[in-house]
Amino acid sequence: MTHPTVVLVHGAFADATGWIGVIAELRSRGIPVIAPSNPLRGLTADAAYLTSVLAQVDGPAVLVGHAYGGALITVAGTAENVVALVYVAAYVPHEGESLRRLQAGFPESPLTDNLKEWTYQLPGGASAVEVTIEVTAFPSVFAADVPEDVAGVLATSQRPLATAAFTETASAAAWRSKPSWALVAGADRTIGPEVQRFGAARAGAVVVELPDASHAVFLSEPTRVADLIRDAVATSSNAASTASGKGAAWPPATSPPSPSPGSTGDRQDTP
């Protein structure tokens, strides 16, 4: 059976090397995987970049987004070759919704009080603002279940996120037509677990929750993350095989999994 290619999309304050354990797990099962670098310059530009990556993937793809990466896969996931979405401790916005609006209905996380602002130059001479997590707060806010020495390296090497990412709105919501899976990090102090649960329920995602996992769950629990991705890959591969056996064209028609209890379905408002 030919597997879809897994495309791993990291979020803010991190880079693609954080997927190292997940990549190893997937490759050990013969699943093709790539982990492109997320520019972190804003939802519109970053989603466009991801769309360009997907256009160069041969065959079907399963999109996996961590944190802010969840917003990117929500938009770019409308690409024809995307057959499934996997959210890992992630934002799951609706079409027309910004991350600021999504977050506004919930208590602020400790992240808010521990952001440091920087400026950078735009073409033409204008400047814009980007943020990182204060180095001393990074371990407790982002990576509480990661070894202290590793968390220190992550804090020092973190990549900044342009603040435009919080205000730009999602131009599409791929989860309305693509099956979704979600891993909720129950001890996340960057994106509150309640924000993750709300988005996953609204998308009708198949949900797995790790009660003690931090925001860095993709690094601290690679096997559990990879298991969820493999579920999405297996379901997508089986759907493709069934469609192929019936002579159907690729990609097969997809619909979201049945909403989990408490799902709000296709609701457009935030709580």
Side-chain angles (χ1 to χ4, degrees), residues 8 51 63 75 86 108 134 166-167 198 203 214 224 250:
L8 301 170
T51 299
L63 270 181
V75 176
V86 182
E108 291 185 347
E134 292 283 359
F166 298 110
T167 57
F198 170 76
S214 78
R224 300 294 296 273
W250 183 263

Side-chain angles (χ1 to χ4, degrees), residues 134-164:
E134 292 283 359
V135 170
T136 56
F138 189 97
S140 64
V141 171
F142 192 98
D145 56 354
V146 172
E148 185 177 352
D149 58 339
V150 175
V153 172
L154 295 175
T156 302
S157 62
Q158 62 180 298
R159 292 183 54 216
L161 175 69
T163 55

Side-chain angles (χ1 to χ4, degrees), residues 15-221:
D15 61 30
T17 59
W19 293 110
I20 184 170
V22 174
I23 292 170
E25 292 275 351
L26 296 175
R27 292 182 65 183
S28 72
R29 301 297 183 93
I31 298 173
V33 56
I34 61 173
S37 182
N38 181 350
L40 303 178
R41 296 297 83 183
L43 180 53
T44 302
D46 295 345
Y49 174 77
L50 180 55
T51 299
S52 73
V53 171
L54 291 167
Q56 298 170 75
V57 172
D58 292 330
V62 171
L63 270 181
V64 182
H66 173 251
Y68 165 63
L72 302 195
I73 72 171
T74 295
V75 176
T78 57
E80 185 179 13
N81 63 332
V82 173
V83 295
L85 307 169
V86 182
Y87 294 92
V88 179
Y91 285 118
V92 188
H94 205 302
E95 181 176 355
E97 185 176 60
S98 69
L99 298 187
R100 176 174 292 175
R101 181 185 173 200
L102 173 58
Q103 180 66 57
F106 300 91
E108 291 185 347
S109 75
L111 172 69
T112 305
D113 293 330
N114 289 286
L115 290 174
K116 181 176 181 179
E117 291 191 354
W118 307 78
T119 58
Y120 64 98
Q121 294 297 308
L122 297 171
S127 62
V129 177
E130 60 187 9
V131 291
T132 58
I133 302 174
E134 292 283 359
V135 170
T136 56
F138 189 97
S140 64
V141 171
F142 192 98
D145 56 354
V146 172
E148 185 177 352
D149 58 339
V150 175
V153 172
L154 295 175
T156 302
S157 62
Q158 62 180 298
R159 292 183 54 216
L161 175 69
T163 55
F166 298 110
T167 57
E168 294 178 352
T169 59
S171 61
W175 49 259
R176 299 180 71 180
S177 60
K178 307 288 176 82
S180 303
W181 284 256
L183 187 149
V184 174
D188 197 328
R189 303 182 77 236
T190 298
I191 301 176
E194 63 274 17
V195 180
Q196 299 173 38
R197 295 186 193 107
F198 170 76
R202 183 168 62 175
V206 175
V207 179
V208 170
E209 180 159 344
L210 302 184
D212 300 322
S214 78
H215 191 62
V217 62
F218 68 133
L219 186 61
S220 62
E221 295 283 356

